[in-house]
Amino acid sequence: KRWWLGLSLAIVLLVVPWGLNIANLRQITVLATPGEPVLLWQNRNKTLLFNSGQVGTASYTVLPFLRRAGINQLDWAIAPSFAGRYAKGWEPILAHVSAKAVYGTLPNPPSPQAENFVSLSAGQRIAIAKTVVQRLEHDAPLLRMTIAEQSWLLLPPLTADQQIHLITDPLPQTQVLWWDGTEIISPILDQLQPQTAICFGAEIDAATARLLRDRGIELYWPAQDGPLQWQPYTGFRLQAAPTDLDITL
């Protein structure tokens, strides 16, 4: 009987701290998915997944990550419009991990399993607990999010001409700029005034990397350096030691 008591005590000592960690966890993880912006926000016992990636990414990167994190249900899922090619990626995820609500900027659900689907119209703003998601009223599919009291702007692939057209309407300032690694013209940065830039692309435009660094903007590249995490007391940090950016500066 004593060994049963010792075993029970050992289990309690392992399980209780793990449960407390999950209950108190506030963490953003930007996954290392080259060319595909994927983000998980864990706010205590609530979870939000932004984008699925394509089928391969969803099946072999996103879903295993969710399993390792012990997540078998999403409170919210966000399907961005410019990632229409990712629609099929939601199928393997939602087949194994249910979602209480799925929001998107396309008129139709990204997957048959997305039963509780809400389509966001241009300018519409939704508040999910302490997270705010807004589809901005622009020709380009811009998405603005407020996560953990930080403003994020997802900038889709845009040519220099499209960017010039974009800034004819003032853009809101943002703390975190999340973009695909292509060229960003200086006037865009003048309007946005980001403190941090995160590239989700497989490559980074060298001139843009120089421009960001010259302005003192923190630059992260998860596709090369691995997943990026944010926590309230540590800020942004890479899960692995960063390597030198493989670009000519």
Side-chain angles (χ1 to χ4, degrees):
K1 290 184 178 179
R2 287 183 178 178
W3 71 271
W4 273 109
L5 181 60
L7 179 61
S8 300
L9 181 59
I11 292 172
V12 168
L13 290 173
L14 287 172
V15 171
V16 170
W18 177 82
L20 289 173
N21 285 338
I22 294 296
N24 294 311
L25 182 65
R26 297 184 74 231
Q27 178 174 280
I28 299 169
T29 304
V30 180
L31 275 65
T33 48
E36 303 172 340
V38 181
L39 173 153
L40 179 72
W41 166 223
Q42 296 166 270
N43 186 15
R44 297 184 171 88
N45 60 345
K46 301 293 185 181
T47 54
L48 180 151
L49 178 64
F50 180 91
N51 200 17
S52 62
Q54 298 189 60
V55 174
T57 298
S59 299
Y60 301 114
T61 301
V62 181
L63 195 52
F65 177 81
L66 295 175
R67 285 172 173 160
R68 287 195 301 272
I71 296 170
N72 54 25
Q73 184 180 64
L74 298 168
D75 291 278
W76 310 283
I78 307 291
S81 63
F82 78 90
R85 65 185 183 278
Y86 302 148
K88 288 186 178 297
W90 285 105
E91 294 182 11
I93 291 176
L94 295 178
H96 295 90
V97 180
S98 62
K100 292 180 180 178
V102 180
Y103 297 89
T105 49
L106 293 172
N108 299 312
S111 163
Q113 292 99 330
E115 297 176 357
N116 301 319
F117 176 73
V118 178
S119 178
L120 301 178
S121 57
Q124 185 176 354
R125 172 188 171 113
I126 57 167
I128 308 168
K130 292 186 178 180
T131 302
V132 177
V133 179
Q134 182 180 21
R135 178 182 173 187
L136 299 183
E137 296 187 67
H138 284 277
D139 293 336
L142 302 179
L143 205 62
R144 189 168 192 258
M145 301 182 288
T146 303
I147 310 174
E149 295 81 47
Q150 289 185 110
S151 56
W152 290 59
L153 182 70
L154 178 64
L155 192 67
L158 298 171
T159 65
D161 287 342
Q162 287 174 318
Q163 292 181 50
I164 291 169
H165 175 69
L166 186 63
I167 59 175
T168 56
D169 248 350
L171 292 169
Q173 290 189 0
T174 189
Q175 292 167 285
V176 182
L177 174 62
W178 198 16
W179 100 112
D180 71 329
T182 54
E183 179 189 10
I184 302 175
I185 61 174
S186 186
I188 288 278
L189 296 178
D190 291 339
Q191 283 201 12
L192 296 178
Q193 295 290 309
Q195 300 168 11
T196 302
I198 302 172
C199 171
F200 65 79
E203 299 179 351
I204 294 182
D205 175 69
T208 298
R210 280 196 302 272
L211 186 61
L212 293 168
R213 286 179 163 173
D214 289 346
R215 289 171 174 249
I217 298 169
E218 284 187 300
L219 174 58
Y220 294 100
W221 189 9
Q224 176 167 288
D225 297 324
L228 175 67
Q229 288 188 335
W230 176 92
Q231 291 183 349
Y233 300 108
T234 61
F236 284 106
R237 64 179 182 180
L238 294 163
Q239 286 188 313
T243 57
D244 292 333
L245 291 180
D246 187 20
I247 50 180
T248 303
L249 297 178

